[in-house]
Amino acid sequence: MSASVQSVAQPTEEDTSPALTDGFHLVIDALKLNDIKTIYGVPGIPITDLGRMAQAEGMRVISFRHEQHAGNAAAIAGFLTKKPGVCLTVSAPGFLNGLTALANATTNCFPMILISGSSEREIVDLQQGDYEEMDQLAIAKPLCKAAYRILHAEDIGIGVARAIRAACSGRPGGVYLDLPAKLFSQTMDAVAGEASLHKVIDPAPAQLPAPASIDRALEVLKGAERPLIIFGKGAAYAQADEDIRALVEKSGIPYLPMSMAKGLLPDTHPQSAGAARSLALKESDVVVMIGARLNWLLSHGKGKTWGTAPKKFIQIDIEPTEMDSNVEIAAPVVGDIGSCVAALLEGMGDNWAKPPSDWTNAIRTKVETNVARMAPKLQNNNVPMDYHGALGVLKTIMAEKTDTILVNEGANTLDFARSIIDIHKPRKRLDVGTWGVMGIGMGFAVAAAIETGCPVLAVEGDSAFGFSGMEIETICRYNLPVCVVVFNNNGIYRGTDTNPAGDDVAPTVFVKDSRYDMMMQAFGGVGVNATSPDELRRAVTEALASGKPTLVNAVIDPQAGTESGRIGNLNPQSVVKK
């Protein structure tokens, strides 16, 4: 009998009634049985005691200042571990705060379970005005992969098991689990309660590709003169790192990693086309998509980004409906990435012909030219700093400390860092993902440190940092090895906009010369104000070496940024003059 069951009712010599357990303990035991060891959340009615009891039973309960950031932490924990991260929130407003992270997790294919307490069904259904009354299940359903409600204690085991399987199997995603307040205090026989729990067997079973699809893909690839491999974060999630590297090196094909796939092979690998992205996309004739989607991040597979050269696409994805979503897929391969890559390797045999040297040499030459052209910009020591000088420092530090996890968000801060900072190992770059949503920074940083034990470098635009900045208190409270660098240019995109019509500052301008480092000092962490690349280098190096919570306020020239980073074309312009 588990310790949590014993804690509910201890029979004495005078008391011969059967031991009981309750909803609180059954939820905890169901999670522990399935090797879920950490809960991220914000306490409050009706789930405060659930967090207390989980902690008493040996689970790690990480309490945040806002549910959205707890949800982001749970989501990225799922990406890093391939087990669903769990976020626990209160009802109604707390649930809604966590829902943004749940929807983002589903969009990015991160396995996550949002567990929220809720009002009683009979009151909600009659709309009688309960405390924080809301039909949470109905609201969650369109925004996640699956949603379940548990009404009876004896169903907790199967409910948790269904949530885990739904989050992990097939294309991973977010799952909502609704637990009405009355569920927690329900009791049942402890032995029957223990028997009602389920350990999920093989929650994400391999989905083998059809042999014919592998043969078709290899035939298309054999006919390529200018092949290219594109890796998405699905390839990083798969953790099939050795086979992926073997596929790249055996095939000899240049590869282009999307941002969170960087590090599957080092960005400095001789086949990396990262610094020749435009050439690779425009001139390729056969493109192998592995765990990547032809969405807006790849211009939907068409248009000037892809040039005029005819393209054939080979796409590997576990979701059949992803095929042909934007352009015709000549060779769809449906299955889990590990199984598909292994099958391609086997099918290639021992004498696979590598691409023509004209193509690989053209890519390599372009990479070397662009890297050489960029090098002087990254070595400048301008004061105030520009993005190149500051990121050049961080590029060098990341090359020296390859186990460090980089968390990155912002507009210019994200766009420049994505192309400047090399990543050398898998799953060491975490960023805004498919939606490009701001506010993931501190939640991702907290979970990355907790789930991996690795140091974390969070590089934030000052606007992006504002979404989750209060969570630096969380970082200090748990004494996590996180160094936050805020690129402070006094505003969104640039801190130089003006308001021609009144006394208020422009909508994109923040308080001039803010000192974000003092926020970290207020919570007992280390705060440093860096005004030059040399100061930035010293501060970040010392922070990563010490493992102490640190925030570096990196003073960036307010004029250094560009409108909307590199997606200014998505910002509509008025044609009406007044």
Side-chain angles (χ1 to χ4, degrees), residues 104 107-108 230 233 256 258-259 277 281 289 292-306 315 322 325-327 410-411 414-415 418 429 431-438 493 564-571:
N104 192 50
T107 299
N108 283 283
I230 297 179
K233 62 180 171 292
L256 183 67
M258 303 300 287
S259 59
R277 185 179 191 272
L281 293 178
M289 307 281 297
R293 292 175 282 190
L294 285 169
N295 55 23
W296 71 276
L297 290 163
L298 284 169
S299 301
H300 307 286
K302 49 197 171 186
K304 63 181 181 180
T305 298
W306 290 89
Q315 185 165 7
E322 185 62 40
S325 59
N326 275 291
V327 298
L414 172 74
D415 292 331
R418 187 163 43 205
R429 180 184 168 84
D431 65 29
V432 299
T434 303
W435 268 352
V437 63
M438 297 295 102
Y493 313 133
S564 301
R566 297 185 183 178
I567 57 172
N569 62 300
L570 300 181
N571 195 25

Side-chain angles (χ1 to χ4, degrees), residues 32-195:
K32 289 176 64 178
L33 181 64
N34 285 283
D35 200 33
I36 294 176
K37 302 174 182 177
T38 304
I39 295 174
Y40 301 93
V42 177
I45 296 173
I47 49 84
T48 308
D49 282 347
L50 182 62
R52 291 183 179 132
M53 293 177 188
Q55 193 173 55
E57 293 300 329
M59 297 187 75
R60 194 162 190 193
V61 181
I62 307 300
S63 180
F64 282 72
R65 303 299 290 264
H66 192 283
E67 292 90 351
Q68 182 173 325
H69 313 313
N72 284 328
I76 208 64
F79 172 77
L80 291 168
T81 66
K82 299 186 74 174
K83 296 187 296 184
V86 171
C87 176
L88 181 65
T89 81
V90 300
S91 51
F95 155 76
L96 290 173
N97 287 342
L99 195 58
T100 299
L102 184 69
N104 192 50
T106 303
T107 299
N108 283 283
C109 310
F110 300 154
M112 170 193 170
I113 301 173
L114 174 64
I115 300 177
S116 295
S118 66
S119 299
E120 304 311 327
R121 294 308 313 158
E122 57 269 31
I123 301 177
V124 172
D125 291 345
L126 283 173
Q127 298 178 24
Q128 293 179 317
D130 202 5
Y131 170 70
E132 296 187 348
E133 176 186 296
M134 179 177 285
D135 192 350
Q136 295 169 196
L137 189 74
I139 293 170
K141 277 184 177 181
L143 299 173
C144 58
K145 188 179 175 187
Y148 306 107
R149 177 182 291 125
I150 304 175
L151 294 176
H152 305 292
E154 58 264 31
D155 294 329
I156 287 173
I158 198 67
V160 170
R162 290 200 72 188
I164 291 170
R165 187 174 294 280
C168 295
S169 61
R171 174 175 281 180
V175 174
Y176 175 60
L177 195 57
D178 191 271
L179 305 182
K182 197 160 58 178
L183 174 73
F184 295 117
S185 58
Q186 289 182 25
T187 61
M188 63 182 297
D189 177 82
V191 174
E194 191 168 20

Side-chain angles (χ1 to χ4, degrees), residues 13 15 19 47 58 72 124 134 173 181 238-239 250 270 275 281 321 330 345 398 506 513 524 539 541 569:
E13 291 182 4
D15 182 7
I47 49 84
N72 284 328
V124 172
M134 179 177 285
Q239 298 190 19
K250 185 174 185 178
L281 293 178
T321 60
L345 272 171
M398 287 293 293
D513 301 327
T541 300
N569 62 300

